[in-house]
Structures are given as C-alpha cells and as structure tokens.
C-alpha cells in the first residue's frame, strides 16, 4: 500500500470512529435528559396530588385552584409526545404562568413564538430547568390559565 493511501485510510477510519462516537454520545445525552425530565415530571405529579394548597398566577392575576384544576398542567408535563431538548435556564416574564404548590414553584414560559415552553421546577432544596416541545403549546396553557381564572373569580 502506498504511503498516501495508508494515510487516507487512517484519516477515513478515524473520521468514521469519531462520527460513531459522536452519535453514541448524543444518544446517551438525550436518554439522560429524558430520564431526568421524566423523574422531575413524576415528582411534580406527586406534589400536585399531595397538595391542597395550589395557587396559579400570571402577571398580576393570582388565585387558588383545586388540585383537579392543576391536572391540565400535569398532563402537559407527562404527555407522551412532550419532548425535552434542553436544560437551559430561561428567565421568567410577565407572561409566565406560575403554580405554587405547597412551598414549591412550577413555572411555564413560552419561548420561540410559543411553540416551545421553558419549564422550571423550584423546590426548597433544588431547581431544575427544561425546554420542551409538545402538542400542547404555550398558548393552550395560557388559555387554560384564563379559564381557571374565570372559574376562580366566579
């Protein structure tokens, strides 16, 4: 084998192994991210089910809701088509929907035209951030907030 052919073979082989390693690392990262998100969603589910003191707020509107009314947001988190793709922290805005659950805070902030949602779960011990996409958009979460507000205000 000529020296140029040998070098080309080594370069191509290294590139193939590098690409394979990158794919493996990507899948491991994605699986790890999904696992952390799922564990957090189940932790939030347990907190909602165990709480009798839940308030919902957005902007200057704050009101109490029953745990059953919080179920819509819980379903959003646990929906099978919800895909988590980042753990980036996104600052809350005046349009952030905030749910206080017995000393812990769950917030939803619409980003990227509302098609993606930044989820923040803050407990006295920990704080976790996720950016997700789902069949349920931020606009639907906000519409549910408005419905809950109408019911709470009577």
């Amino acid at each position: 084998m000529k020296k140029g052919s040998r070098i080309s073979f080594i370069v191509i082989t290294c590139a193939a192994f590098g690409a394979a390693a990158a794919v493996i690392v990507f899948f491991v990262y994605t699986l790890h991210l999904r696992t952390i998100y799922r564990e957090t969603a189940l932790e939030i589910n347990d907190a909602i089910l165990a709480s009798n003191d839940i308030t919902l707020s957005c902007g200057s509107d704050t009101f109490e809701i029953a745990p059953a009314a919080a179920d819509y947001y819980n379903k959003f988190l646990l929906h099978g088509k919800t895909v988590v793709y980042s753990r980036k922290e996104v600052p809350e805005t005046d349009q952030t929907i905030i749910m206080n659950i017995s000393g812990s805070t769950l917030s939803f902030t619409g980003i990227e035209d509302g098609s993606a949602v930044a989820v923040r779960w803050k407990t006295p011990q920990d704080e976790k951030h996720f950016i997700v996409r789902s069949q349920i958009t931020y606009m639907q979460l906000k519409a549910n907030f408005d419905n809950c507000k109408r019911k709470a205000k009577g």
Side-chain angles (χ1 to χ4, degrees), residues 79-125:
H79 193 276
K81 303 254 180 183
T82 298
V83 177
V84 59
Y85 65 92
S86 176
R87 294 203 58 189
K88 180 181 172 189
E89 182 176 351
V90 174
E92 293 180 349
T93 68
D94 60 338
Q95 291 298 306
T96 297
I97 299 167
I98 302 169
M99 185 182 301
N100 291 304
I101 309 164
S102 301
S104 297
T105 305
L106 173 64
S107 67
F108 302 93
T109 305
I111 55 174
E112 300 174 10
D113 76 354
S115 62
V117 178
V119 177
R120 182 179 67 116
W121 174 239
K122 184 176 180 182
T123 64
Q125 301 83 17

Side-chain angles (χ1 to χ4, degrees), residues 20-78:
V23 168
I24 290 169
V25 167
F26 173 74
F27 282 123
V28 168
Y29 172 75
T30 302
L31 183 60
H32 177 68
L33 187 61
R34 286 177 54 183
T35 301
I36 292 171
Y37 175 78
R38 191 72 167 159
E39 288 172 355
T40 303
L42 291 172
E43 177 185 335
I44 295 166
N45 178 55
D46 292 343
I48 289 172
L49 293 175
S51 180
N52 291 323
D53 179 29
I54 300 175
T55 60
L56 200 57
S57 63
C58 183
S60 62
D61 297 318
T62 301
F63 49 90
E64 286 190 31
I65 60 172
D71 194 44
Y72 185 80
Y73 298 100
N74 201 19
K75 285 181 182 177
F76 169 80
L77 295 170
L78 295 169

